[in-house]
């Protein structure tokens, strides 16, 4: 073997070994990222007011900005009404 072919073999082996080392360090980082994104996508608890306003918006066929505006106003009025009616609701249960 000539000096050039030996040098080429050494360079090729070095590149392959270096690539494997970098691949092994990146894999554990990806596993921790998927665990944190799973926590972020956890389903949120919705209040009774929110669910009722969503049903009303569905019945009216609202979408987009109109739906968002309707739900916002509906939830505000429902919460304002529920603060005064909270003791009565507790008695019913």
């Amino acid at each position: 073997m000539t000096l050039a072919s030996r040098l080429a073999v050494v360079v090729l082996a070095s590149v392959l070994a270096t690539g494997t080392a970098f691949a092994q360090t990146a894999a554990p980082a990806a596993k921790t990222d998927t665990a944190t994104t799973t926590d972020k996508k956890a389903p949120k608890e919705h209040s009774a007011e929110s669910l009722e306003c969503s049903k009303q918006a569905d019945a009216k066929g609202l979408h987009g900005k109109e739906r968002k505006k309707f739900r916002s106003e509906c939830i505000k009025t429902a919460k304002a009404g529920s603060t005064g009616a909270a003791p009565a609701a507790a008695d019913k249960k």
Side-chain angles (χ1 to χ4, degrees):
M1 262 175 54
T2 65
L3 181 64
S5 62
R6 288 182 186 177
L7 183 61
V9 169
V10 170
V11 169
L12 181 62
S14 298
V15 169
L16 292 175
T18 305
T20 305
F22 283 123
Q24 290 176 351
T25 57
K31 289 181 183 177
T32 58
D33 291 341
T34 56
T36 57
T37 55
T38 305
D39 294 339
K40 290 179 184 176
K41 293 181 181 180
K44 295 181 180 179
E45 297 280 331
H46 296 289
S47 66
E49 294 91 358
S50 176
L51 294 173
E52 183 60 33
C53 291
S54 289
K55 289 178 185 177
Q56 291 176 12
D58 287 340
K60 291 184 177 187
L62 298 175
H63 299 285
K65 291 180 181 180
E66 295 169 345
R67 180 185 178 90
K68 186 174 181 179
K69 183 179 177 183
F70 173 79
R71 288 190 70 247
S72 176
E73 292 173 3
C74 178
I75 291 170
K76 285 179 187 176
T77 56
K79 286 185 179 180
S82 68
T83 56
D91 293 339
K92 290 181 182 178
K93 290 183 181 179

